[in-house]
Amino acid sequence: MHIDCDAFYAAVEELDRPELRDVPMAVGKGVLTTCNYHARKFGCRSGMAGFVAMKLCPQLICLPLNFDKYNAKAKEVRTILATYDPRFESASIDEAYLNITEYCNEHHMDPEEAVSQLRAEVHEKTKITVSAGIAANAKLAKIASNRNKPNGQYRIASDRTTIMEFMRNLPTRKVNGVGRVFERELDAIGIKTCGNIYTHRAYLSKLFGEKAFQFLMQCYLGLGRTKIQPAEEYERKSVGTESTFRELSGKTELREKLRHIAEELEKDLERTQHKGRTLVLKVKLHTFEVLTRQSSPPKAVHLSEDLYKYALPMLTKLEKEIPNMKLRLMGLRVTHIVSIKKGGIDFFGLKSRAAPSRSGTPVPKSESGANSDDGEWEVWPEAEFEEAARQEREDEMNELEALSQEHQQLQEQEENGASLKAPLDRQARKPPSPKIEENLNEKEELWNCPICSLPQPADDKIFNSHIDFCLSRQTIKDVVKSTSSPTPTMQLIPRPQSSSNSMPAKRKRGRPRNDGVALEPQAAKRKPFFS
DNA sequence: GCGGATCAG
DNA sequence: ATGGCTGATCCGC
């Protein structure tokens, strides 16, 4: 199950100040972190800029954050969760995953009962209302907990039919790894819901990569992680700090800033008891373009002097690359970290459950069980997948068959022409003004469509529209239908190769774009989502 | 391994 | 057109 406290910060604040109960209230100042029910009626939302919220709701009361208070309350809640699953997994201050299988068995309760009781108990003892989702895996449970919010619960039965039905109409954005960008890209090829995914399976891996393909298929099938473990057992991978400031330039100022950040990072490393073997410098230019540079010091570092010493060359190099560099953010991070935990060395991965050891203290984890297990993803019998496939085929048999064949052809063709790649020397863009670079392509140039390989006008909007068209089902159907004719068959080229540097390698540079068309074919391979 | 980019909370 | 911060992961090179 997944559990999510309702408007956590706001709820905690209300406990201290009952007079806020019936009035629009929000926590956070510049930006709302949470807001209560009354504020929401005015359209206030967490994550919203404070001034926008005030505009919507002038009588809104904004309170400053008080993390000590929230942490204390979170601890109360967790104490109760532990009695239902001692190995529950905190997902954030106000969210957790529990495996209540054992609890249900031992207490002879069905999941709904148990969760109902848990929620009642939390409410009674902490005065916090929570919403919960009950399902066969973490992904589904998380989605389900949002279904009856606030102060409600929702169960997705664990049989395949129910799960498939649930996913069928579920907007892709509801799934945890799908953000704004991916949602739009999926939408552009006609995928709005998880149920839509299967139909497009033939080219998903080509468009988004193998990982994303696997992820999407798991979305379609409603599969997800089933292993729930204490957050402390996840190994930290990096420690870093960064800060935004008003525009900054000048050698001295930048070095002062770097020095300061190095000192901050040293504190964090001290707190978490880590050293790092790789150092990453991050800057955001006044244009909002973000750059990172990394280096590997001769030894693992954690003292600010060393952090500064080894970061400085990267900064000076950037200064050379970018004349007149103006920054609005600087950050430093170490990766490939090693624990320098003193005392209490647990050679055998034994963990002292005693102290609620805050961050740090990553348990050496029972050995490099890297491969071990990994019930990362719930594994379903091949037969179930096949059954799903069969049912789907009943609906659109012809089309899918055709698609499948087409896909094979594409694969073959692609292998033939797979060697074209635009080197696109990065040095070519010396004056780092992505905007300008983009606008330079208006010449007589043409971009090749990655789908049909036909040259298209070198214009973002037109090109993207064309891609959308090329990827639309109708178009594919047409192509398939006329597949025996001499009509140009589809041909998939790995990357719209542009002989010159006409094709912007990273069009995402500069300000985020807002034109409705979002599909970026060449930037297509990437995908978040946790293992 | 490096650098860019997305996502979550 | 929402802001900033921290951390993780993916992808192409």
Side-chain angles (χ1 to χ4, degrees), chain A residues 368-400:
Chain A
S368 57
N371 70 1
S372 82
D373 94 285
D374 190 16
E376 288 296 353
W377 300 100
E378 192 176 358
V379 180
W380 287 77
E382 195 75 12
E384 303 233 49
F385 186 94
E386 289 308 320
E387 171 61 11
R390 196 190 60 73
Q391 286 178 13
E392 186 78 17
R393 264 195 290 271
E394 279 176 10
D395 293 341
E396 11 191 7
M397 171 118 124
N398 293 333
E399 181 183 359
L400 289 182

PDB file of all heavy atoms in Angstrom, chain A residues 368-400:
ATOM      1  N   SER A 368      27.345  -6.761  -2.495  1.00  0.00           N
ATOM      2  CA  SER A 368      26.938  -6.282  -3.793  1.00  0.00           C
ATOM      3  C   SER A 368      25.844  -7.177  -4.320  1.00  0.00           C
ATOM      4  O   SER A 368      26.021  -7.867  -5.298  1.00  0.00           O
ATOM      5  CB  SER A 368      28.110  -6.312  -4.742  1.00  0.00           C
ATOM      6  OG  SER A 368      28.601  -7.625  -4.788  1.00  0.00           O
ATOM      7  N   GLY A 369      24.756  -7.134  -3.659  1.00  0.00           N
ATOM      8  CA  GLY A 369      23.656  -7.966  -4.123  1.00  0.00           C
ATOM      9  C   GLY A 369      23.094  -7.333  -5.358  1.00  0.00           C
ATOM     10  O   GLY A 369      21.927  -7.441  -5.647  1.00  0.00           O
ATOM     11  N   ALA A 370      23.937  -6.638  -6.012  1.00  0.00           N
ATOM     12  CA  ALA A 370      23.501  -5.898  -7.188  1.00  0.00           C
ATOM     13  C   ALA A 370      22.554  -6.729  -8.023  1.00  0.00           C
ATOM     14  O   ALA A 370      21.445  -6.316  -8.311  1.00  0.00           O
ATOM     15  CB  ALA A 370      24.696  -5.500  -8.018  1.00  0.00           C
ATOM     16  N   ASN A 371      22.979  -7.842  -8.408  1.00  0.00           N
ATOM     17  CA  ASN A 371      22.139  -8.632  -9.276  1.00  0.00           C
ATOM     18  C   ASN A 371      21.099  -9.353  -8.455  1.00  0.00           C
ATOM     19  O   ASN A 371      20.013  -9.570  -8.855  1.00  0.00           O
ATOM     20  CB  ASN A 371      22.979  -9.633 -10.038  1.00  0.00           C
ATOM     21  CG  ASN A 371      23.505 -10.699  -9.120  1.00  0.00           C
ATOM     22  OD1 ASN A 371      23.215 -10.679  -7.925  1.00  0.00           O
ATOM     23  ND2 ASN A 371      24.271 -11.595  -9.656  1.00  0.00           N
ATOM     24  N   SER A 372      21.459  -9.680  -7.272  1.00  0.00           N
ATOM     25  CA  SER A 372      20.605 -10.517  -6.495  1.00  0.00           C
ATOM     26  C   SER A 372      19.202 -10.123  -6.713  1.00  0.00           C
ATOM     27  O   SER A 372      18.877  -9.004  -6.888  1.00  0.00           O
ATOM     28  CB  SER A 372      20.918 -10.348  -5.055  1.00  0.00           C
ATOM     29  OG  SER A 372      20.291  -9.223  -4.574  1.00  0.00           O
ATOM     30  N   ASP A 373      18.387 -10.950  -6.760  1.00  0.00           N
ATOM     31  CA  ASP A 373      17.060 -10.716  -6.766  1.00  0.00           C
ATOM     32  C   ASP A 373      16.497  -9.951  -7.786  1.00  0.00           C
ATOM     33  O   ASP A 373      16.192 -10.270  -8.783  1.00  0.00           O
ATOM     34  CB  ASP A 373      16.752  -9.898  -5.666  1.00  0.00           C
ATOM     35  CG  ASP A 373      16.728  -8.560  -6.001  1.00  0.00           C
ATOM     36  OD1 ASP A 373      17.281  -8.143  -6.118  1.00  0.00           O
ATOM     37  OD2 ASP A 373      16.179  -7.774  -6.195  1.00  0.00           O
ATOM     38  N   ASP A 374      16.433  -8.882  -7.233  1.00  0.00           N
ATOM     39  CA  ASP A 374      15.842  -7.914  -7.847  1.00  0.00           C
ATOM     40  C   ASP A 374      14.550  -8.176  -8.220  1.00  0.00           C
ATOM     41  O   ASP A 374      14.181  -8.343  -9.280  1.00  0.00           O
ATOM     42  CB  ASP A 374      16.549  -7.811  -9.009  1.00  0.00           C
ATOM     43  CG  ASP A 374      16.155  -6.846  -9.471  1.00  0.00           C
ATOM     44  OD1 ASP A 374      15.818  -6.510  -8.947  1.00  0.00           O
ATOM     45  OD2 ASP A 374      16.138  -6.417 -10.341  1.00  0.00           O
ATOM     46  N   GLY A 375      13.751  -8.218  -7.323  1.00  0.00           N
ATOM     47  CA  GLY A 375      12.376  -8.226  -7.627  1.00  0.00           C
ATOM     48  C   GLY A 375      12.036  -6.858  -7.939  1.00  0.00           C
ATOM     49  O   GLY A 375      10.995  -6.394  -7.577  1.00  0.00           O
ATOM     50  N   GLU A 376      12.870  -6.202  -8.619  1.00  0.00           N
ATOM     51  CA  GLU A 376      12.605  -4.825  -8.962  1.00  0.00           C
ATOM     52  C   GLU A 376      11.248  -4.719  -9.612  1.00  0.00           C
ATOM     53  O   GLU A 376      10.430  -3.921  -9.245  1.00  0.00           O
ATOM     54  CB  GLU A 376      13.656  -4.314  -9.941  1.00  0.00           C
ATOM     55  CG  GLU A 376      15.000  -4.114  -9.290  1.00  0.00           C
ATOM     56  CD  GLU A 376      14.924  -3.049  -8.229  1.00  0.00           C
ATOM     57  OE1 GLU A 376      13.875  -2.409  -8.112  1.00  0.00           O
ATOM     58  OE2 GLU A 376      15.901  -2.858  -7.511  1.00  0.00           O
ATOM     59  N   TRP A 377      11.100  -5.542 -10.585  1.00  0.00           N
ATOM     60  CA  TRP A 377       9.806  -5.490 -11.247  1.00  0.00           C
ATOM     61  C   TRP A 377       9.107  -6.807 -11.037  1.00  0.00           C
ATOM     62  O   TRP A 377       9.684  -7.864 -11.186  1.00  0.00           O
ATOM     63  CB  TRP A 377       9.968  -5.225 -12.740  1.00  0.00           C
ATOM     64  CG  TRP A 377      10.647  -3.938 -12.973  1.00  0.00           C
ATOM     65  CD1 TRP A 377      11.967  -3.763 -13.267  1.00  0.00           C
ATOM     66  CD2 TRP A 377      10.069  -2.658 -12.891  1.00  0.00           C
ATOM     67  NE1 TRP A 377      12.227  -2.441 -13.382  1.00  0.00           N
ATOM     68  CE2 TRP A 377      11.082  -1.732 -13.160  1.00  0.00           C
ATOM     69  CE3 TRP A 377       8.783  -2.196 -12.629  1.00  0.00           C
ATOM     70  CZ2 TRP A 377      10.849  -0.374 -13.165  1.00  0.00           C
ATOM     71  CZ3 TRP A 377       8.571  -0.844 -12.641  1.00  0.00           C
ATOM     72  CH2 TRP A 377       9.597   0.047 -12.902  1.00  0.00           C
ATOM     73  N   GLU A 378       7.890  -6.674 -10.747  1.00  0.00           N
ATOM     74  CA  GLU A 378       7.124  -7.861 -10.562  1.00  0.00           C
ATOM     75  C   GLU A 378       7.119  -8.611 -11.878  1.00  0.00           C
ATOM     76  O   GLU A 378       6.886  -8.055 -12.928  1.00  0.00           O
ATOM     77  CB  GLU A 378       5.702  -7.462 -10.206  1.00  0.00           C
ATOM     78  CG  GLU A 378       4.890  -8.597  -9.717  1.00  0.00           C
ATOM     79  CD  GLU A 378       3.542  -8.080  -9.289  1.00  0.00           C
ATOM     80  OE1 GLU A 378       3.338  -6.865  -9.365  1.00  0.00           O
ATOM     81  OE2 GLU A 378       2.714  -8.890  -8.904  1.00  0.00           O
ATOM     82  N   VAL A 379       7.384  -9.866 -11.798  1.00  0.00           N
ATOM     83  CA  VAL A 379       7.452 -10.637 -13.024  1.00  0.00           C
ATOM     84  C   VAL A 379       6.152 -11.396 -13.229  1.00  0.00           C
ATOM     85  O   VAL A 379       5.689 -12.101 -12.345  1.00  0.00           O
ATOM     86  CB  VAL A 379       8.612 -11.636 -12.969  1.00  0.00           C
ATOM     87  CG1 VAL A 379       8.669 -12.426 -14.262  1.00  0.00           C
ATOM     88  CG2 VAL A 379       9.907 -10.897 -12.738  1.00  0.00           C
ATOM     89  N   TRP A 380       5.644 -11.228 -14.378  1.00  0.00           N
ATOM     90  CA  TRP A 380       4.393 -11.930 -14.677  1.00  0.00           C
ATOM     91  C   TRP A 380       4.670 -13.028 -15.680  1.00  0.00           C
ATOM     92  O   TRP A 380       5.538 -12.905 -16.522  1.00  0.00           O
ATOM     93  CB  TRP A 380       3.353 -10.982 -15.248  1.00  0.00           C
ATOM     94  CG  TRP A 380       2.802 -10.085 -14.212  1.00  0.00           C
ATOM     95  CD1 TRP A 380       3.415  -9.000 -13.691  1.00  0.00           C
ATOM     96  CD2 TRP A 380       1.559 -10.204 -13.548  1.00  0.00           C
ATOM     97  NE1 TRP A 380       2.620  -8.422 -12.742  1.00  0.00           N
ATOM     98  CE2 TRP A 380       1.479  -9.142 -12.638  1.00  0.00           C
ATOM     99  CE3 TRP A 380       0.498 -11.116 -13.632  1.00  0.00           C
ATOM    100  CZ2 TRP A 380       0.367  -8.965 -11.809  1.00  0.00           C
ATOM    101  CZ3 TRP A 380      -0.598 -10.919 -12.825  1.00  0.00           C
ATOM    102  CH2 TRP A 380      -0.653  -9.856 -11.914  1.00  0.00           C
ATOM    103  N   PRO A 381       3.899 -14.037 -15.569  1.00  0.00           N
ATOM    104  CA  PRO A 381       4.083 -15.155 -16.486  1.00  0.00           C
ATOM    105  C   PRO A 381       3.961 -14.667 -17.918  1.00  0.00           C
ATOM    106  O   PRO A 381       3.119 -13.836 -18.230  1.00  0.00           O
ATOM    107  CB  PRO A 381       2.923 -16.092 -16.160  1.00  0.00           C
ATOM    108  CG  PRO A 381       2.507 -15.721 -14.772  1.00  0.00           C
ATOM    109  CD  PRO A 381       2.826 -14.269 -14.612  1.00  0.00           C
ATOM    110  N   GLU A 382       4.780 -15.218 -18.738  1.00  0.00           N
ATOM    111  CA  GLU A 382       4.763 -14.866 -20.151  1.00  0.00           C
ATOM    112  C   GLU A 382       3.355 -15.014 -20.700  1.00  0.00           C
ATOM    113  O   GLU A 382       2.893 -14.242 -21.509  1.00  0.00           O
ATOM    114  CB  GLU A 382       5.710 -15.799 -20.906  1.00  0.00           C
ATOM    115  CG  GLU A 382       6.059 -15.311 -22.282  1.00  0.00           C
ATOM    116  CD  GLU A 382       7.048 -14.162 -22.208  1.00  0.00           C
ATOM    117  OE1 GLU A 382       7.602 -13.933 -21.128  1.00  0.00           O
ATOM    118  OE2 GLU A 382       7.240 -13.502 -23.227  1.00  0.00           O
ATOM    119  N   ALA A 383       2.674 -15.995 -20.180  1.00  0.00           N
ATOM    120  CA  ALA A 383       1.342 -16.298 -20.694  1.00  0.00           C
ATOM    121  C   ALA A 383       0.393 -15.111 -20.551  1.00  0.00           C
ATOM    122  O   ALA A 383      -0.436 -14.857 -21.416  1.00  0.00           O
ATOM    123  CB  ALA A 383       0.766 -17.512 -19.979  1.00  0.00           C
ATOM    124  N   GLU A 384       0.555 -14.390 -19.455  1.00  0.00           N
ATOM    125  CA  GLU A 384      -0.350 -13.271 -19.234  1.00  0.00           C
ATOM    126  C   GLU A 384      -0.141 -12.197 -20.282  1.00  0.00           C
ATOM    127  O   GLU A 384      -1.077 -11.577 -20.755  1.00  0.00           O
ATOM    128  CB  GLU A 384      -0.102 -12.694 -17.845  1.00  0.00           C
ATOM    129  CG  GLU A 384      -0.270 -13.732 -16.772  1.00  0.00           C
ATOM    130  CD  GLU A 384      -1.226 -13.237 -15.721  1.00  0.00           C
ATOM    131  OE1 GLU A 384      -2.299 -12.763 -16.108  1.00  0.00           O
ATOM    132  OE2 GLU A 384      -0.893 -13.319 -14.537  1.00  0.00           O
ATOM    133  N   PHE A 385       1.127 -11.996 -20.570  1.00  0.00           N
ATOM    134  CA  PHE A 385       1.438 -11.004 -21.581  1.00  0.00           C
ATOM    135  C   PHE A 385       0.842 -11.432 -22.905  1.00  0.00           C
ATOM    136  O   PHE A 385       0.238 -10.639 -23.626  1.00  0.00           O
ATOM    137  CB  PHE A 385       2.951 -10.860 -21.705  1.00  0.00           C
ATOM    138  CG  PHE A 385       3.368  -9.767 -22.628  1.00  0.00           C
ATOM    139  CD1 PHE A 385       3.655  -8.502 -22.137  1.00  0.00           C
ATOM    140  CD2 PHE A 385       3.461  -9.989 -23.992  1.00  0.00           C
ATOM    141  CE1 PHE A 385       4.031  -7.483 -22.988  1.00  0.00           C
ATOM    142  CE2 PHE A 385       3.829  -8.980 -24.850  1.00  0.00           C
ATOM    143  CZ  PHE A 385       4.121  -7.723 -24.351  1.00  0.00           C
ATOM    144  N   GLU A 386       1.022 -12.675 -23.200  1.00  0.00           N
ATOM    145  CA  GLU A 386       0.499 -13.188 -24.468  1.00  0.00           C
ATOM    146  C   GLU A 386      -1.008 -13.063 -24.534  1.00  0.00           C
ATOM    147  O   GLU A 386      -1.576 -12.745 -25.568  1.00  0.00           O
ATOM    148  CB  GLU A 386       0.913 -14.653 -24.662  1.00  0.00           C
ATOM    149  CG  GLU A 386       2.392 -14.817 -24.954  1.00  0.00           C
ATOM    150  CD  GLU A 386       2.807 -13.915 -26.120  1.00  0.00           C
ATOM    151  OE1 GLU A 386       2.057 -13.793 -27.101  1.00  0.00           O
ATOM    152  OE2 GLU A 386       3.901 -13.318 -26.022  1.00  0.00           O
ATOM    153  N   GLU A 387      -1.627 -13.303 -23.399  1.00  0.00           N
ATOM    154  CA  GLU A 387      -3.077 -13.193 -23.356  1.00  0.00           C
ATOM    155  C   GLU A 387      -3.497 -11.756 -23.633  1.00  0.00           C
ATOM    156  O   GLU A 387      -4.424 -11.499 -24.395  1.00  0.00           O
ATOM    157  CB  GLU A 387      -3.590 -13.650 -21.991  1.00  0.00           C
ATOM    158  CG  GLU A 387      -5.066 -13.383 -21.752  1.00  0.00           C
ATOM    159  CD  GLU A 387      -5.952 -14.101 -22.753  1.00  0.00           C
ATOM    160  OE1 GLU A 387      -5.462 -14.965 -23.498  1.00  0.00           O
ATOM    161  OE2 GLU A 387      -7.160 -13.766 -22.815  1.00  0.00           O
ATOM    162  N   ALA A 388      -2.795 -10.859 -23.022  1.00  0.00           N
ATOM    163  CA  ALA A 388      -3.091  -9.443 -23.255  1.00  0.00           C
ATOM    164  C   ALA A 388      -2.931  -9.122 -24.726  1.00  0.00           C
ATOM    165  O   ALA A 388      -3.739  -8.420 -25.320  1.00  0.00           O
ATOM    166  CB  ALA A 388      -2.161  -8.567 -22.420  1.00  0.00           C
ATOM    167  N   ALA A 389      -1.898  -9.666 -25.281  1.00  0.00           N
ATOM    168  CA  ALA A 389      -1.640  -9.413 -26.691  1.00  0.00           C
ATOM    169  C   ALA A 389      -2.771  -9.988 -27.547  1.00  0.00           C
ATOM    170  O   ALA A 389      -3.233  -9.358 -28.495  1.00  0.00           O
ATOM    171  CB  ALA A 389      -0.317 -10.051 -27.089  1.00  0.00           C
ATOM    172  N   ARG A 390      -3.218 -11.159 -27.161  1.00  0.00           N
ATOM    173  CA  ARG A 390      -4.255 -11.796 -27.954  1.00  0.00           C
ATOM    174  C   ARG A 390      -5.544 -10.980 -27.951  1.00  0.00           C
ATOM    175  O   ARG A 390      -6.147 -10.725 -28.988  1.00  0.00           O
ATOM    176  CB  ARG A 390      -4.540 -13.191 -27.396  1.00  0.00           C
ATOM    177  CG  ARG A 390      -5.313 -14.089 -28.341  1.00  0.00           C
ATOM    178  CD  ARG A 390      -5.770 -15.343 -27.642  1.00  0.00           C
ATOM    179  NE  ARG A 390      -6.639 -15.073 -26.500  1.00  0.00           N
ATOM    180  CZ  ARG A 390      -7.903 -14.673 -26.601  1.00  0.00           C
ATOM    181  NH1 ARG A 390      -8.441 -14.489 -27.792  1.00  0.00           N
ATOM    182  NH2 ARG A 390      -8.627 -14.441 -25.539  1.00  0.00           N
ATOM    183  N   GLN A 391      -5.915 -10.541 -26.759  1.00  0.00           N
ATOM    184  CA  GLN A 391      -7.140  -9.758 -26.660  1.00  0.00           C
ATOM    185  C   GLN A 391      -7.058  -8.491 -27.504  1.00  0.00           C
ATOM    186  O   GLN A 391      -8.009  -8.098 -28.161  1.00  0.00           O
ATOM    187  CB  GLN A 391      -7.391  -9.385 -25.200  1.00  0.00           C
ATOM    188  CG  GLN A 391      -7.861 -10.562 -24.380  1.00  0.00           C
ATOM    189  CD  GLN A 391      -8.061 -10.157 -22.925  1.00  0.00           C
ATOM    190  OE1 GLN A 391      -8.076  -8.980 -22.611  1.00  0.00           O
ATOM    191  NE2 GLN A 391      -8.219 -11.156 -22.070  1.00  0.00           N
ATOM    192  N   GLU A 392      -5.907  -7.888 -27.418  1.00  0.00           N
ATOM    193  CA  GLU A 392      -5.732  -6.650 -28.164  1.00  0.00           C
ATOM    194  C   GLU A 392      -5.860  -6.916 -29.654  1.00  0.00           C
ATOM    195  O   GLU A 392      -6.463  -6.157 -30.389  1.00  0.00           O
ATOM    196  CB  GLU A 392      -4.369  -6.050 -27.853  1.00  0.00           C
ATOM    197  CG  GLU A 392      -4.141  -4.697 -28.451  1.00  0.00           C
ATOM    198  CD  GLU A 392      -4.841  -3.603 -27.662  1.00  0.00           C
ATOM    199  OE1 GLU A 392      -5.219  -3.871 -26.497  1.00  0.00           O
ATOM    200  OE2 GLU A 392      -5.021  -2.520 -28.206  1.00  0.00           O
ATOM    201  N   ARG A 393      -5.329  -8.024 -30.053  1.00  0.00           N
ATOM    202  CA  ARG A 393      -5.346  -8.343 -31.478  1.00  0.00           C
ATOM    203  C   ARG A 393      -6.760  -8.522 -31.990  1.00  0.00           C
ATOM    204  O   ARG A 393      -7.066  -8.222 -33.131  1.00  0.00           O
ATOM    205  CB  ARG A 393      -4.537  -9.606 -31.747  1.00  0.00           C
ATOM    206  CG  ARG A 393      -3.123  -9.290 -32.179  1.00  0.00           C
ATOM    207  CD  ARG A 393      -2.452 -10.502 -32.773  1.00  0.00           C
ATOM    208  NE  ARG A 393      -2.168 -11.511 -31.774  1.00  0.00           N
ATOM    209  CZ  ARG A 393      -1.051 -11.554 -31.066  1.00  0.00           C
ATOM    210  NH1 ARG A 393      -0.138 -10.639 -31.248  1.00  0.00           N
ATOM    211  NH2 ARG A 393      -0.845 -12.492 -30.189  1.00  0.00           N
ATOM    212  N   GLU A 394      -7.603  -9.012 -31.113  1.00  0.00           N
ATOM    213  CA  GLU A 394      -8.979  -9.199 -31.546  1.00  0.00           C
ATOM    214  C   GLU A 394      -9.561  -7.878 -32.011  1.00  0.00           C
ATOM    215  O   GLU A 394     -10.351  -7.815 -32.925  1.00  0.00           O
ATOM    216  CB  GLU A 394      -9.812  -9.777 -30.402  1.00  0.00           C
ATOM    217  CG  GLU A 394      -9.635 -11.279 -30.272  1.00  0.00           C
ATOM    218  CD  GLU A 394     -10.387 -11.836 -29.076  1.00  0.00           C
ATOM    219  OE1 GLU A 394     -11.177 -11.081 -28.478  1.00  0.00           O
ATOM    220  OE2 GLU A 394     -10.172 -13.003 -28.753  1.00  0.00           O
ATOM    221  N   ASP A 395      -9.161  -6.833 -31.331  1.00  0.00           N
ATOM    222  CA  ASP A 395      -9.692  -5.516 -31.662  1.00  0.00           C
ATOM    223  C   ASP A 395      -9.148  -5.012 -32.985  1.00  0.00           C
ATOM    224  O   ASP A 395      -9.860  -4.563 -33.854  1.00  0.00           O
ATOM    225  CB  ASP A 395      -9.357  -4.508 -30.566  1.00  0.00           C
ATOM    226  CG  ASP A 395     -10.100  -4.842 -29.289  1.00  0.00           C
ATOM    227  OD1 ASP A 395     -11.099  -5.587 -29.377  1.00  0.00           O
ATOM    228  OD2 ASP A 395      -9.670  -4.381 -28.233  1.00  0.00           O
ATOM    229  N   GLU A 396      -7.878  -5.053 -33.092  1.00  0.00           N
ATOM    230  CA  GLU A 396      -7.280  -4.445 -34.280  1.00  0.00           C
ATOM    231  C   GLU A 396      -6.260  -5.353 -34.913  1.00  0.00           C
ATOM    232  O   GLU A 396      -5.131  -5.007 -35.146  1.00  0.00           O
ATOM    233  CB  GLU A 396      -6.642  -3.115 -33.918  1.00  0.00           C
ATOM    234  CG  GLU A 396      -6.573  -2.932 -32.428  1.00  0.00           C
ATOM    235  CD  GLU A 396      -6.182  -1.519 -32.054  1.00  0.00           C
ATOM    236  OE1 GLU A 396      -6.106  -0.673 -32.946  1.00  0.00           O
ATOM    237  OE2 GLU A 396      -5.918  -1.310 -30.881  1.00  0.00           O
ATOM    238  N   MET A 397      -6.736  -6.528 -35.171  1.00  0.00           N
ATOM    239  CA  MET A 397      -5.860  -7.550 -35.698  1.00  0.00           C
ATOM    240  C   MET A 397      -5.094  -7.122 -36.934  1.00  0.00           C
ATOM    241  O   MET A 397      -3.871  -7.143 -36.972  1.00  0.00           O
ATOM    242  CB  MET A 397      -6.699  -8.765 -36.051  1.00  0.00           C
ATOM    243  CG  MET A 397      -5.901  -9.779 -36.795  1.00  0.00           C
ATOM    244  SD  MET A 397      -5.821 -11.268 -35.862  1.00  0.00           S
ATOM    245  CE  MET A 397      -6.457 -12.448 -36.958  1.00  0.00           C
ATOM    246  N   ASN A 398      -5.824  -6.715 -37.894  1.00  0.00           N
ATOM    247  CA  ASN A 398      -5.175  -6.381 -39.161  1.00  0.00           C
ATOM    248  C   ASN A 398      -4.103  -5.322 -38.985  1.00  0.00           C
ATOM    249  O   ASN A 398      -2.979  -5.464 -39.435  1.00  0.00           O
ATOM    250  CB  ASN A 398      -6.209  -5.868 -40.161  1.00  0.00           C
ATOM    251  CG  ASN A 398      -7.171  -6.965 -40.547  1.00  0.00           C
ATOM    252  OD1 ASN A 398      -6.793  -8.144 -40.500  1.00  0.00           O
ATOM    253  ND2 ASN A 398      -8.382  -6.604 -40.893  1.00  0.00           N
ATOM    254  N   GLU A 399      -4.496  -4.308 -38.307  1.00  0.00           N
ATOM    255  CA  GLU A 399      -3.584  -3.195 -38.167  1.00  0.00           C
ATOM    256  C   GLU A 399      -2.300  -3.604 -37.471  1.00  0.00           C
ATOM    257  O   GLU A 399      -1.191  -3.261 -37.877  1.00  0.00           O
ATOM    258  CB  GLU A 399      -4.261  -2.082 -37.391  1.00  0.00           C
ATOM    259  CG  GLU A 399      -3.372  -0.886 -37.233  1.00  0.00           C
ATOM    260  CD  GLU A 399      -4.031   0.183 -36.403  1.00  0.00           C
ATOM    261  OE1 GLU A 399      -5.168  -0.021 -35.981  1.00  0.00           O
ATOM    262  OE2 GLU A 399      -3.376   1.211 -36.202  1.00  0.00           O
ATOM    263  N   LEU A 400      -2.472  -4.331 -36.418  1.00  0.00           N
ATOM    264  CA  LEU A 400      -1.298  -4.700 -35.643  1.00  0.00           C
ATOM    265  C   LEU A 400      -0.377  -5.624 -36.422  1.00  0.00           C
ATOM    266  O   LEU A 400       0.839  -5.503 -36.359  1.00  0.00           O
ATOM    267  CB  LEU A 400      -1.718  -5.369 -34.339  1.00  0.00           C
ATOM    268  CG  LEU A 400      -2.348  -4.397 -33.350  1.00  0.00           C
ATOM    269  CD1 LEU A 400      -2.692  -5.118 -32.061  1.00  0.00           C
ATOM    270  CD2 LEU A 400      -1.395  -3.247 -33.070  1.00  0.00           C
TER     271      LEU A 400
END
